[in-house]
Amino acid sequence: MTEALLIRGRLFDPGQGLDRVGDLLIEGGKIAWLGEPGLAPKPDVPVLEAQRLIVCPGFIDLHCHLREPGQEDKETIASGTQAAARGGFTTVCAMPNTQPPLDSGAAVDYVLKRATQEGAVRVLPIGCITRGRKGEELAELGELAQAGAVAFSDDGNSVADPRLLRNALEYSRSFGLPVIEHCEDASLSKDGVMNEGWTSARLGLRGIPPAAEETVVARDIALAELTGARLHLAHLTTAGSVELVRRAKEKGLPITAEVTPHHLTLTEERVMGAEWGWLGRVPPRHQPLNSCAYDTSAKVNPPLRTPADVLALNRGLQDGTIDAIATDHAPHRLVDKLCEFDLAAFGISGLETALAALLALVHIGELKLETLIEALTYGPARILGRDTQTGLREGAPADITIFDPEAQWVVDPQAFASKGKNTPLAGYTLRGKVMATIVDGRLVYKDDSL
Ligand code: DOR
């Protein structure tokens, strides 16, 4: 723990309507004081000069894949949390599609122990809904909750059996934890590799229709209404899904939803190569290797969709239908992606590009900075029941992200801390860079230029 540290910068906290130049003092892992420049009660402490930088609450990622245990060649808790720190994330929720899956108290305990030993940032494990993620019988939800799971999910798959999901929702209520659903009807998406539509037809690739997601979203909303349980919908991608959630929220149902940075900034056309499908409007400088047609770095599940869907996701974020932005960081090995499109793994390594990609939307006037920061901080914190521990306020844990909204950099996956180099943004020039990340008062990442 850093003993004491004074940060001078632009203090930005949308949850408190705070946006002013000031000083922030960290002591004993907590925010001890914040106020006018030069008035800190303890002036003789090390100073982090962040004058032209934004100092905001630490980002929280509701959805990432750390791959440990079992797939340490793709990622480890050490490498994944270092990537998180570089991306400005102070807390990450680890999805349970590991090998073995996190379906027992012992498995959750293992992740927490590894995170204590090796983690650069806070790791909150998510337990499985069903044993082995097989969708056949419920996991021991009580045991998972007791071990420290913060939610339940079979991410990667939906729970196909509605009765089983109903039971999971009913049990989850008694633990006060949300169920996180990956919404995909496997029979509708079967063998699909990208969004179904004009682009998939042109490329001759099998498509995944929006209805594969929307039918499950509609079913799950009905089950949330039936049980009164907290249901969180992961990585929504279609205009139809946003509309279903909007209507559910109007009815007062306890539904929350997330969207990923890639679904907010890229369209299905990105599959055709690096110069396609990027909505940031700054022309990417692509590396030739990544500009082939059928670019597997853009293969992700759920798939990148159409411009109309992207617009609807953005609107949903702005009007509060979508509660949070989550990375769905899904690291893979080179061999998992360097192959035929049909055979390539689904997933994007997203922790280290999330902020800069999203800031492109702010720079072109499509998203407000406060909406973006809210969706990376208070939005996920509320879903986890941690909003009272979030924010730039005295007494709160010193979880802080410092970034330069203007600094330009070229995305070089080889420089990632993540073992997953699989990004569709390789070679893109992005504007906005994380400069420092502080967890519980500890400086866990600092850019060389700071
Ligand atoms: O693209 C994806 N990759 N979507 C998922 O739901 C799972 C993830 C993974 O684990 O690789």
Side-chain angles (χ1 to χ4, degrees):
M1 188 184 299
T2 313
E3 261 313 294
L5 182 69
L6 188 71
I7 302 172
R8 301 211 159 109
R10 175 177 162 196
L11 308 180
F12 190 86
D13 182 341
Q16 302 184 78
L18 176 69
D19 183 6
R20 66 176 153 91
V21 171
D23 288 0
L24 183 149
L25 178 69
I26 296 172
E27 250 188 326
K30 302 230 181 292
I31 297 174
W33 176 90
L34 69 162
E36 294 297 314
L39 296 184
K42 271 202 175 176
D44 299 329
V45 298
V47 177
L48 192 68
E49 299 286 359
Q51 255 98 358
R52 282 178 308 281
L53 310 180
I54 293 181
V55 178
C56 68
F59 303 156
I60 300 171
D61 191 5
L62 278 176
H63 189 144
C64 78
H65 298 273
L66 297 181
R67 306 295 192 211
E68 194 177 344
Q71 291 183 301
E72 288 84 354
D73 45 351
K74 291 185 190 244
E75 194 77 289
T76 60
I77 288 171
S79 63
T81 55
Q82 276 158 25
R86 280 168 166 259
F89 292 90
T90 52
T91 297
V92 295
C93 298
M95 276 296 172
N97 62 338
T98 48
Q99 287 173 6
L102 308 183
D103 66 355
S104 66
V108 167
D109 196 46
Y110 174 81
V111 169
L112 284 170
K113 284 217 174 82
R114 294 291 292 160
T116 309
Q117 292 161 350
E118 312 250 336
V121 307
R122 195 175 293 108
V123 176
L124 305 176
I126 295 172
C128 294
I129 298 173
T130 69
R131 227 181 270 277
R133 291 179 59 251
K134 292 200 176 120
E136 290 163 4
E137 54 183 333
L138 281 189
E140 291 290 343
L141 303 189
E143 182 184 303
L144 291 167
Q146 203 163 23
V150 296
F152 307 111
S153 181
D154 274 2
D155 183 57
N157 300 327
S158 280
V159 178
D161 179 345
R163 189 186 171 85
L164 200 54
L165 185 62
R166 176 193 181 168
N167 288 344
L169 286 163
E170 272 166 359
Y171 278 113
S172 72
R173 274 188 69 176
S174 50
F175 309 116
L177 299 180
V179 166
I180 303 180
E181 254 280 84
H182 167 121
C183 298
E184 175 185 351
D185 182 305
S187 62
L188 279 173
S189 65
K190 192 172 183 321
D191 299 331
V193 290
M194 69 172 295
N195 182 46
E196 181 177 300
W198 164 238
T199 310
S200 65
R202 204 159 93 196
L203 293 176
L205 293 174
R206 202 180 295 268
I208 301 174
E213 178 173 303
E214 291 156 4
T215 51
V216 177
V217 169
R219 180 203 71 168
D220 288 3
I221 288 172
L223 292 175
E225 184 165 17
L226 179 67
T227 57
R230 284 172 57 205
L231 173 69
H232 177 71
L233 302 172
H235 45 49
L236 294 185
T237 63
T238 77
S241 294
V242 176
E243 195 46 36
L244 287 164
V245 174
R246 188 174 285 123
R247 277 194 260 137
K249 284 194 165 184
E250 275 164 14
K251 281 170 90 177
L253 301 181
I255 310 279
T256 53
E258 74 189 30
V259 63
T260 72
H262 44 273
H263 292 112
L264 280 170
T265 55
L266 296 166
T267 68
E268 57 176 359
E269 293 200 324
R270 179 61 189 78
V271 167
M272 297 195 298
E275 51 288 302
W276 293 89
W278 163 246
L279 298 180
R281 286 196 212 139
V282 184
R285 262 197 294 146
H286 66 267
Q287 291 161 342
L289 237 183
N290 275 318
S291 71
C292 53
Y294 307 103
D295 187 341
T296 59
S297 73
K299 182 176 175 184
V300 64
N301 189 28
L304 301 175
R305 302 282 189 187
T306 67
D309 291 308
V310 176
L311 194 64
L313 294 174
N314 195 326
R315 292 241 167 89
L317 194 61
Q318 310 214 23
D319 71 12
T321 303
I322 307 281
D323 302 83
I325 296 174
T327 67
D328 195 6
H329 173 75
H332 288 292
R333 300 167 306 172
L334 191 59
V335 290
D336 300 321
K337 288 288 194 177
L338 211 58
C339 56
E340 294 90 322
F341 201 90
D342 278 345
L343 302 179
F346 287 99
I348 288 174
S349 180
L351 282 168
E352 288 164 86
T353 53
L355 175 71
L358 293 160
L359 279 170
L361 298 175
V362 175
H363 292 313
I364 63 172
E366 295 282 333
L367 191 63
K368 286 203 185 99
L369 183 63
E370 47 270 42
T371 310
L372 170 57
I373 302 304
E374 159 84 27
L376 287 168
T377 56
Y378 287 93
R382 257 181 241 117
I383 292 161
L384 294 167
R386 292 178 166 247
D387 40 324
T388 53
Q389 290 139 271
T390 298
L392 302 186
R393 56 180 141 224
E394 288 163 20
D399 285 2
I400 292 168
T401 299
I402 301 176
F403 66 94
D404 182 342
E406 299 301 332
Q408 294 212 3
W409 58 291
V410 178
V411 178
D412 172 12
Q414 297 316 315
F416 281 1
S418 171
K419 291 191 182 187
K421 313 299 181 194
N422 48 304
T423 170
L425 301 179
Y428 281 38
T429 301
L430 299 179
R431 197 165 129 216
K433 198 163 196 243
V434 173
M435 289 292 165
T437 306
I438 296 169
V439 180
D440 271 334
R442 270 180 305 123
L443 190 63
V444 296
Y445 172 68
K446 188 164 92 64
D447 188 83
D448 293 338
S449 66
L450 194 65

